Amino acid sequence: MQKIPPNTSIWLNVMRALAAQAVVIGHANYLFFSYDNASGNKLAWLMSFFGSGAHKAVVMFFVMSGFLIGGPVILAWRSNTFDATKYFVGRLTRLWIVILPALLLTALLDGVAFQYGNGAHLLSSRVPFFPEWWASIEPNSLRTFLFNVFFLQMIIGFQYGTNLSLWSISNEFWYYILLPAALGIYSIERRTRLVFFAVTVGVILLFMSSAKPNDLGRPAAYFFMFILWIMGAILYVYYESKARRMISLTLFLLGMAAFVLFKIIYPDAFGYDLAMAFFALSLIAIAKDVPAARLKKFADFFSSYSFSLYALHLPLTFFLLSFDPELSEMQALRGDTLLRFFAYLLVINIAAIAMWALTERHTDKLRRFTMIRLAAFRPAR
């Protein structure tokens, strides 16, 4: 596996940190502010602009994940060094050490918000963020909880509780499965090829069966986001290419072309996602040549808890809102509401850091412990 250059590593952490904050700001913006009477208000326009980046940030996460996870998988298969056990233990420990506590905290926070807070009213006053049909799908049921534990949200059922951000975790997990399985079809052993073929077909069928009455476009979202994820993986494979700078410029121009095309000719969400993916890829491609040593401490700190922040912020925001009478209804953007907004962001970040310290920080220890325990069960040769 090739080593990621120091500058690239730092810039990836910067992108991850900013993307996580963009998701939090975007979701909090949708829950806090009403822009119905904000025409001509420059502050409202500015806040609306920065508060609309949540989905764009998730696209960046997919591209970075493909680069950091998918790329090494491809190279490992090409060099016959892919270790399936080590890989899947690494992926599952990385996800579960954050997702399981996040699900439990979602259950606790939602339970308190609906039982003792103003949770029920928040749902009705925050449409369409929480759709009108949301309560009818039993989002807080044990069944939905278990679907989310095994990354089946959006395939069978929906996200658990108010934690709507968990949709992308399902994508990530199944992409982790799909890529090595698809590559494994070219394995030398016939029996092994059949197993990988069956897994590949199984994942594809899961994607195809994910359409639901309230989410008809889900199969297209799974396949389209996988393309963006694979684009990141391919960039990793060719990252040491002498033409990398030209690749960066080409990706940037493709991003501009996609943005203009879908902005002027055919407005479409997937088109904007494609443009965002090209922009993110171009930044990663050129990052190796851009000095970033002065950003290392900032990047290391704010990116370290980005996954915990992503997994916790929505149910925590909902919980805080349910006990804040001033925000029982969405507010106009003013000095006092903006100050309250930033206070919420600070509290959410502090809570995410605490969750990171208790869980995500110990990912490597859990990974090593799991590998040791698995080795103990392997029969001696």
Side-chain angles (χ1 to χ4, degrees), residues 6-149:
N7 283 337
T8 303
S9 180
I10 294 171
W11 281 116
L12 284 169
N13 282 341
V14 170
M15 291 171 66
R16 184 160 49 214
L18 293 177
Q21 296 295 335
V23 170
V24 177
I25 291 171
H27 288 161
N29 172 62
Y30 286 127
L31 294 172
F32 261 72
F33 298 121
S34 171
Y35 295 94
D36 291 342
N37 300 310
S39 179
N41 187 323
K42 293 182 179 180
L43 179 60
W45 179 89
L46 189 65
M47 188 62 202
S48 178
F49 175 80
F50 284 105
S52 63
H55 186 74
K56 301 179 185 68
V58 175
V59 171
M60 289 181 64
F61 278 130
F62 281 130
V63 171
M64 288 187 284
S65 173
F67 181 83
L68 292 169
I69 306 302
V73 168
I74 294 174
L75 291 185
W77 270 107
R78 286 172 56 177
S79 61
N80 294 317
T81 59
F82 181 73
D83 185 330
T85 301
K86 185 177 180 180
Y87 172 76
F88 288 117
V89 166
R91 294 302 88 219
L92 282 171
T93 51
R94 171 63 175 155
L95 291 173
W96 271 340
I97 199 171
V98 173
I99 293 303
L100 294 182
L103 288 171
L104 292 172
L105 284 171
T106 300
L108 174 64
L109 294 171
D110 282 1
V112 175
F114 284 103
Q115 184 69 30
Y116 302 103
N118 203 22
H121 176 73
L122 282 178
L123 288 184
S124 61
S125 63
R126 263 60 176 185
V127 174
F129 190 88
F130 293 103
E132 294 179 354
W133 49 263
W134 183 85
S136 67
I137 62 173
E138 299 182 339
N140 294 98
S141 68
L142 177 60
R143 179 173 177 267
T144 304
F145 183 96
L146 292 175
F147 287 157
N148 282 250
V149 167

Side-chain angles (χ1 to χ4, degrees), residues 55 131 133-134 137 152-159 164 166-168 170-171 206-222 270:
H55 186 74
W133 49 263
W134 183 85
I137 62 173
L152 290 168
Q153 67 271 28
M154 317 315 297
I155 294 175
I156 306 175
F158 289 91
Q159 309 94 311
L164 304 190
L166 296 181
W167 71 268
S168 68
S170 174
N171 291 63
L206 282 177
F207 290 171
M208 293 175 65
S209 66
S210 63
K212 296 173 285 297
N214 295 318
D215 193 19
L216 295 175
R218 186 54 48 182
Y222 270 110
F270 282 170

Side-chain angles (χ1 to χ4, degrees), residues 295-350:
L295 295 173
K296 189 176 188 310
K297 290 184 179 179
F298 162 87
D300 288 349
F301 174 74
F302 284 100
S303 66
S304 65
Y305 69 94
S306 59
F307 188 19
S308 295
L309 180 64
Y310 184 85
L312 179 65
H313 75 279
L314 253 181
L316 180 57
T317 303
F318 188 88
F319 171 82
L320 295 172
L321 285 170
S322 73
F323 288 97
D324 189 342
E326 295 293 326
L327 287 166
S328 61
E329 303 292 339
M330 297 174 70
Q331 299 293 303
L333 184 62
R334 306 185 303 270
D336 60 321
T337 56
L338 188 61
L339 182 63
R340 187 182 295 263
F341 177 83
F342 285 115
Y344 268 64
L345 296 184
L346 179 61
V347 170
I348 292 166
N349 272 267
I350 291 173

Side-chain angles (χ1 to χ4, degrees), residues 166-222:
L166 296 181
W167 71 268
S168 68
I169 305 302
S170 174
N171 291 63
E172 287 280 353
F173 174 77
W174 294 108
Y175 298 164
Y176 295 160
I177 301 291
L178 181 57
L179 178 60
L183 293 172
I185 295 174
Y186 299 95
S187 175
I188 296 175
E189 298 180 11
R190 182 174 182 275
R191 182 180 298 178
T192 305
R193 288 202 306 267
L194 291 174
V195 171
F196 283 123
F197 178 78
V199 172
T200 301
V201 171
V203 174
I204 291 173
L205 290 176
L206 282 177
F207 290 171
M208 293 175 65
S209 66
S210 63
K212 296 173 285 297
N214 295 318
D215 193 19
L216 295 175
R218 186 54 48 182
Y222 270 110

